[in-house]
Amino acid sequence: MRYISTRGGITPIPFSEAVMMGLANDGGLLLPEKLPPATSDEIAAWRQLDYPDLAVAVLSRFIDDIPHVDLERLVKKSYAGFQHPEVTPIVKHGECHILELFHGPTLAFKDVALQLLGNIFEYLLAKSGGRMNIIGATSGDTGSAAIYGVRGKERINIFILHPQGRVSPIQERQMTTVLDDNVYNIAVQGTFDDGQAIVKKLFGDLTFKEKHQLGAINSINWARIVAQVVYYVYAALKLTGEGRPGQVDFAVPTGNFGDIFAGFVARRLIPEQIGQLILATNENNLLTRFVQAGDYSVSSVRPTSSPSMDIQVASNFERYLYYLNDQDARRTSRDMEQFAATGSLQFDPARLARIQQDFVSRSADEPATKATIRDFHQAHDYLLDPHTAVGVYAGLACRRADIPLVCLATAHPAKFGEAVEAAIGRPPELPPALAALENLESRCRVLPAEELVIKDFVAQHAL
Ligand SMILES: *Cc1c(COP(=O)(O)O)cnc(C)c1O
């Protein structure tokens, strides 16, 4: 399998190069050249597999330049640390099959992809004799999942900038209690946007980027998408088949469009078993306007109780746009140029009809999110985190008779204790992994939000 760019500007490359490239060199996003559906024999075989073995089987369709035994070892190592034997178990409550994606080390779904990505990076760097300095800014959740993905790994250092005093105490401790030598937590005296702007500048300095082999770990990396395809296939095959329904629908709390795009790829793989993809947004509902009205126009970001979805410009959107444009890279580049210039794209009725075949969408405002947490808890004695609640709200609004509804649970409720407490009147119980953080030693460097200071720090501590 080779990979191309949505903007058509690179010659096709194998997976191992795609994963190291991250963003395509022409500014586009990388995608597999082809997405053929699985055969019925393959699907029958996949139904027999546990999660790690299914992951190996699904990933093998996209990765043909890592020997099978090695891929198997990387996958098993990635999921051995999950706290549930099924890795991503499904629990049924009322009309929702909740797909729990939060049993990884930082209790958020990003672990599913980042645990694997860290192992793939380490493996490829060992082979090439290279090194990598990962730099990222976080508003809370991604940082810890990225740190846990690469802690203690050879040939990799990671620098994560978080806004000092502006992430929740749990999120801060999840990051700063990781004491491995290759992990550098930097509390920036500024906002998340300040940190993000500095990171962008470091990547924009091509000499600096090359000299220190800067690497990114954000959700535009194809390896993250493909790791997420697995749990859609896993859930769909578990709930369908002989004597059971033919297909399932998925409700997906959406921010950067990475997770729901993985669902789109999964549906290309097993089109009969996956029906509706329900795109759930919070009050930052640009993508809902896109699906409902063909209007993709940026406005300002509003802070909500589901901060990992407080996003306007979804970094993975371009991947879908490429398919919407019938894999026409020229047209996709033109659209993206227009979007960069005007902050807006409008889709004509023909394209809108296509969009509405691919997705349905609902937005949950703050009162609806809170009510969903409260009502779900009352009805089922089960706690949803605010991101998951946005998905459940949209899922229930769009559910179809006799088709199982799978709602992706993207974070453990205890990570967002304040929102849960506001909904049910008491804080959620802390799982042991979070309760233990309290007493752990922590390490963090406080630095001013100045490009040169951060740059200097990275240069001094880079591999
Ligand atoms: C990142 C994140 C999301 C959004 O996922 P995208 O792939 O960005 O759409 C939803 N919920 C939680 C808890 C997250 O951390």
Side-chain angles (χ1 to χ4, degrees), residues 79-310:
Y79 299 118
F82 278 57
Q83 292 299 314
H84 197 286
E86 282 186 70
V87 183
T88 63
I90 303 170
V91 293
K92 180 151 195 276
H93 290 294
E95 291 175 285
C96 298
H97 296 266
I98 305 278
L99 176 58
E100 293 186 338
L101 302 174
F102 52 70
H103 293 282
T106 74
L107 309 185
F109 94 102
K110 289 186 172 71
D111 290 327
V112 178
L114 286 168
Q115 285 292 307
L116 182 67
L117 184 62
N119 284 321
I120 291 178
F121 277 157
E122 184 180 51
Y123 171 83
L124 294 176
L125 289 168
K127 266 189 149 175
S128 69
R131 66 199 159 93
M132 183 185 245
N133 290 289
I134 294 171
I135 303 194
T138 185
S139 55
D141 245 19
T142 316
S144 56
I147 287 169
Y148 274 81
V150 302
R151 65 182 297 183
K153 300 237 180 287
E154 303 280 342
R155 299 173 178 278
I156 303 176
N157 275 1
I158 184 167
F159 300 83
I160 293 291
L161 281 59
H162 70 263
Q164 188 191 20
R166 297 187 203 219
V167 298
S168 79
I170 283 186
Q171 288 177 328
E172 184 181 328
R173 296 199 64 79
Q174 272 191 311
M175 293 189 280
T176 60
T177 54
V178 179
L179 301 179
D180 299 75
D181 288 341
N182 70 330
V183 173
Y184 295 90
N185 276 291
I186 302 173
V188 175
Q189 294 170 310
T191 63
F192 164 67
D193 290 333
D194 294 335
Q196 176 97 312
I198 291 171
V199 169
K200 276 196 181 148
K201 282 186 190 146
L202 299 199
F203 276 97
D205 179 344
L206 296 182
T207 317
F208 187 80
K209 182 178 172 201
E210 184 61 27
K211 181 168 177 211
H212 297 297
Q213 295 288 299
L214 297 194
I217 204 159
N218 44 19
S219 70
I220 48 114
N221 196 302
W222 172 255
R224 283 185 61 176
I225 304 284
V226 80
Q228 293 171 208
V229 170
V230 176
Y231 51 71
Y232 284 93
V233 174
Y234 181 72
L237 295 187
K238 245 188 141 95
L239 296 173
T240 60
E242 227 163 285
R244 282 173 300 186
Q247 60 174 212
V248 301
D249 291 345
F250 284 95
V252 188
T254 297
N256 268 318
F257 207 83
D259 203 3
I260 194 148
F261 186 75
F264 179 82
V265 174
R267 189 169 57 191
R268 300 280 289 235
L269 213 51
I270 51 167
E272 284 173 24
Q273 286 78 18
I274 299 181
Q276 290 192 134
L277 292 172
I278 303 161
L279 188 161
T281 58
N282 64 22
E283 290 181 1
N284 297 286
N285 60 2
L286 182 159
L287 288 166
T288 297
R289 281 182 276 122
F290 164 69
V291 173
Q292 291 182 349
D295 170 26
Y296 189 79
S297 316
V298 208
S299 52
S300 54
V301 177
R302 268 207 233 182
T304 71
S305 58
S306 44
S308 298
M309 296 158 67
D310 290 348

Side-chain angles (χ1 to χ4, degrees), residues 1-4 10-22 30-33 58-67 71 74-75 113 116-121 123-124 127 220-228 319:
M1 177 70 76
R2 293 186 309 166
Y3 290 83
I4 49 100
I10 64 163
T11 46
I13 51 174
F15 173 82
S16 49
E17 277 177 49
V19 80
M20 287 313 210
M21 197 179 276
L30 295 163
L31 280 171
E33 249 177 341
V58 170
L59 291 168
S60 297
R61 294 180 65 92
F62 298 94
I63 306 175
D64 54 13
D65 54 342
I66 295 180
L71 184 63
L74 295 174
V75 166
L116 182 67
L117 184 62
N119 284 321
I120 291 178
F121 277 157
Y123 171 83
L124 294 176
K127 266 189 149 175
I220 48 114
N221 196 302
W222 172 255
R224 283 185 61 176
I225 304 284
V226 80
Q228 293 171 208
R319 286 199 159 107

Side-chain angles (χ1 to χ4, degrees), residues 314-349:
S315 56
N316 274 285
F317 177 75
E318 183 171 341
R319 286 199 159 107
Y320 173 63
L321 185 62
Y322 177 76
Y323 287 101
L324 184 61
N325 287 337
D326 292 318
Q327 307 181 46
D328 181 341
R330 294 251 297 289
R331 187 172 185 191
T332 305
S333 307
R334 267 203 316 271
D335 283 345
M336 292 311 294
E337 271 165 34
Q338 190 195 328
F339 180 71
T342 63
S344 168
L345 284 176
Q346 301 298 323
F347 293 85
D348 59 32

